[in-house]
């Protein structure tokens, strides 16, 4: 990064921070909300001023965590919510200091599972009534999965779509077991592996996609309004997709060969 761009970003962070603080002070100090964006702006500022990624990450992480602790003690001392930021605040400089080692599967699995373990313990100790640790766990699993299968898109699509389906199914079960809404993200995520495996087979892709779409609308029809058979209308419209592909793509290919 050249000096002009670095100075521009640094001055921009300072100007934005001063502006937000001024707005917070002039509009009322009953809630000191400006500390959150200012804390975020201090991270790139410390990174740029130090000129070293490793040192900058340590300073930025320390500043951000310190400001959050101060805000926690000032506003809600009865509930220490800053502990939820501790794993990320510690992990970020460790990952930066690790450098290229962070791109290796062993480091990715060790770091991600360590963070997941921290959030599971925090969930058990602070909020055992609701299993919220599934959300950071879902996000953290993409790190080792992406590194392990990043160069294998077909395998990544299967594992990734399976992870998404399991996650939304768990959220559906925990938050709203009476409403089977998980069928909507399942329908959406199935197109990821289908598009990769059937990209070079347009007729088979059209047949599979149409079948999945008809099955989706039929399932929604049965779950939402079984007394009205409205799924036949989108099923009729979708059936034109494989029909048109067969006559205008697949059949022409067979004739030309």
């Amino acid at each position: 990064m050249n000096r002009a761009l670095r100075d521009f970003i640094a001055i921009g962070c300072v100007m934005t921070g001063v502006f937000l603080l001024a707005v917070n002070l002039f509009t009322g100090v009953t809630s000191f909300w400006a500390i959150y964006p200012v804390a975020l702006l201090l991270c790139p500022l410390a990174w740029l001023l130090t000129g070293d990624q490793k040192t900058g990450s340590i300073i930025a992480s320390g500043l951000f965590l310190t400001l959050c602790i101060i805000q926690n003690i000032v506003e809600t001392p009865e509930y220490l919510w800053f502990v939820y930021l501790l794993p990320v605040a510690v992990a970020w400089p460790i990952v930066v200091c690790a450098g290229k080692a962070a791109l290796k599967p062993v480091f990715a699995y060790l770091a991600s599972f360590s963070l997941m373990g921290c959030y599971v313990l925090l969930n058990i100790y602070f909020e055992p009534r609701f299993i919220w640790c599934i959300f950071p766990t879902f996000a953290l699993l993409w790190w080792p999965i992406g590194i392990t299968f990043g160069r294998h898109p077909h395998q990544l699509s299967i594992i990734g779509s399976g992870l998404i389906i399991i996650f939304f199914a768990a959220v559906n079960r925990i938050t709203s077991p009476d409403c089977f809404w998980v069928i909507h993200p399942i329908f959406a995520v199935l197109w990821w592996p289908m598009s990769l495996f059937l990209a070079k087979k347009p007729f088979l892709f059209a047949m599979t996609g149409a079948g999945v779409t008809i099955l989706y609308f039929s399932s929604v029809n049965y779950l939402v309004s079984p007394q009205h058979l409205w799924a036949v209308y989108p099923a009729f419209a979708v059936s034109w997709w494989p029909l048109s592909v067969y006559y205008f793509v697949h059949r022409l290919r067979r004739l030309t060969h």
Side-chain angles (χ1 to χ4, degrees), residues 157 160-173 179-194 212-213 215-217 219-220 223:
S157 67
S161 58
L163 176 62
I164 294 172
I165 291 172
I166 293 172
F167 168 71
F168 280 107
V171 174
N172 189 176
R173 177 64 179 173
C179 178
F180 192 65
W181 55 261
V182 70
I183 190 173
H184 306 298
I186 289 176
F187 170 69
V189 78
L190 284 177
W191 292 92
W192 180 12
M194 281 196 307
V212 171
T213 305
L215 180 62
Y216 164 72
F217 281 111
S219 302
V220 173
L223 292 171

Side-chain angles (χ1 to χ4, degrees), residues 153-249:
H154 291 79
Q155 297 178 12
L156 179 63
S157 67
I158 296 175
I159 296 174
S161 58
L163 176 62
I164 294 172
I165 291 172
I166 293 172
F167 168 71
F168 280 107
V171 174
N172 189 176
R173 177 64 179 173
I174 294 170
T175 59
S176 51
D178 297 332
C179 178
F180 192 65
W181 55 261
V182 70
I183 190 173
H184 306 298
I186 289 176
F187 170 69
V189 78
L190 284 177
W191 292 92
W192 180 12
M194 281 196 307
S195 60
L196 285 177
F197 281 93
L198 304 176
K200 297 181 179 180
K201 301 175 181 179
F203 179 63
L204 184 58
F205 178 63
M207 288 288 294
T208 307
V212 171
T213 305
I214 293 172
L215 180 62
Y216 164 72
F217 281 111
S218 301
S219 302
V220 173
N221 189 173
Y222 175 76
L223 292 171
V224 176
S225 52
Q227 66 277 11
H228 301 291
L229 188 61
W230 53 263
V232 293
Y233 303 110
F236 173 72
V238 170
S239 62
W240 287 91
W241 176 20
L243 183 65
S244 60
V245 171
Y246 176 77
Y247 280 102
F248 296 103
V249 179

Side-chain angles (χ1 to χ4, degrees), residues 1-14 44-45 47-49:
M1 183 183 298
N2 59 59
R3 184 178 180 81
L5 180 58
R6 186 172 67 248
D7 294 344
F8 174 78
I9 297 175
I11 294 174
C13 290
V14 174
L45 183 61
W47 194 307
L48 293 170
L49 293 178

Side-chain angles (χ1 to χ4, degrees), residues 17-70:
V18 171
F19 169 75
L20 292 173
L21 288 172
V23 171
N24 194 174
L25 292 174
F26 282 111
T27 56
V29 292
T30 54
S31 176
F32 193 43
W33 52 264
I35 192 170
Y36 301 109
V38 169
L40 291 175
L41 290 169
L42 284 174
C43 296
L45 183 61
W47 194 307
L48 293 170
L49 293 178
T50 55
D52 179 57
Q53 292 184 352
K54 297 179 180 180
T55 306
S57 64
I58 296 172
I59 295 174
S61 180
L63 284 173
F64 179 75
L65 187 60
T66 302
L67 289 172
C68 289
I69 292 173
I70 294 172

